[in-house]
Amino acid sequence: IAGLNEVKLAELIKVDDVDSLPQVTKAEMRVDLSFNSLQYAGDVLKNLRQLKLNGSIISSLRDIGNSFKNLEILWISKCGIKDLAGLSCFPKLKELYAPYNHIKDLSHIIVHVNLPVLDLEGNEIESVETLENLLSIDNLNNLNLSSNPICKIENYEIRVFETLPQLEYLNDQTKDEIKEQKGSNENV
């Protein structure tokens, strides 16, 4: 964001006192990162744990910058993102909510091995094979793929659980709930 300083940042995230910026743990803002990044914001908001950028213009996670070292939860709904390149900029990230973007490719997520929650609802994930990139995330236990093209594949849920055995929840349902819903005795 051009000309971002502490005063503008405080206004953007609705904080009254610029001296309290380093203590902020949660922030929500809508930004256009077409020609700028949030690098400065990350430098100032050193204790930020949760960041909501829903509805922002972000072409890549790299546009957010690599200074949010303590960020644990990131919301980037409806931002126009096409892939998850730059995810490694957030080493402590535990939850990523990226619904309603244009994400097709998950190959960039391989480098991030500590991500228990991943919400990709309403994106463009087409095949179970694409999900193989998530195998490296040992602790991924909650994945949301609702409203993706993959959902049109018959019994895709069973295939997803087979591909990602570490999962406990898919689309907010357990393996057993999905099995019961499908009325199947198959081994999910």
Side-chain angles (χ1 to χ4, degrees):
I1 298 170
L4 186 63
N5 59 33
E6 288 181 342
V7 173
K8 285 184 180 178
L9 180 59
E11 288 173 8
L12 189 63
I13 64 171
K14 298 172 181 68
V15 171
D16 295 330
D17 179 17
V18 294
D19 293 332
S20 65
L21 286 173
Q23 285 76 45
V24 171
T25 58
K26 297 178 185 178
E28 183 172 351
M29 61 184 106
R30 231 174 135 177
V31 294
D32 181 347
L33 299 181
S34 298
F35 303 104
N36 301 288
S37 83
L38 287 176
Q39 184 71 31
Y40 176 77
D43 290 338
V44 174
L45 302 170
K46 295 191 180 301
N47 288 308
L48 196 68
R49 302 288 186 265
Q50 300 180 29
L51 178 59
K52 286 187 181 182
L53 296 172
N54 296 338
S56 294
I57 298 172
I58 305 171
S59 61
S60 167
L61 291 176
R62 289 187 184 106
D63 295 343
I64 298 171
N66 62 2
S67 58
F68 291 97
K69 299 296 183 197
N70 292 312
L71 197 64
E72 295 175 358
I73 305 172
L74 177 60
W75 288 269
I76 48 171
S77 175
K78 299 179 182 177
C79 292
I81 293 175
K82 293 185 174 136
D83 61 41
L84 296 175
L87 189 62
S88 60
C89 292
F90 311 102
K92 294 187 178 178
L93 196 66
K94 291 179 174 39
E95 299 178 23
L96 176 61
Y97 299 93
Y100 302 102
N101 283 289
H102 305 288
I103 300 169
K104 276 186 180 184
D105 181 13
L106 298 177
S107 61
H108 300 350
I109 208 166
I110 288 176
V111 297
H112 201 285
V113 294
N114 184 28
L115 191 64
V117 178
L118 179 59
D119 183 348
L120 296 172
E121 178 179 355
N123 277 281
E124 299 174 11
I125 309 298
E126 297 177 346
S127 71
V128 175
E129 291 73 30
T130 302
L131 301 176
E132 290 175 1
N133 292 304
L134 303 178
L135 276 169
S136 64
I137 307 174
D138 295 334
N139 67 339
L140 177 65
N141 62 31
N142 191 333
L143 177 63
N144 188 347
L145 295 173
S146 299
S147 301
N148 274 275
I150 192 174
C151 298
K152 295 176 183 169
I153 299 171
E154 186 175 346
N155 292 322
Y156 83 96
E157 301 98 334
I158 293 168
R159 294 191 50 211
V160 169
F161 277 119
E162 288 172 349
T163 303
L164 301 171
Q166 75 272 36
L167 276 186
E168 294 176 26
Y169 295 92
L170 176 62
N171 306 337
D172 298 320
Q173 293 185 304
T174 65
K175 293 178 192 181
D176 290 338
E177 289 169 338
I178 288 173
K179 196 160 97 173
E180 185 178 311
Q181 181 183 8
K182 295 283 181 186
S184 168
N185 290 325
E186 291 183 49
N187 189 13
V188 177

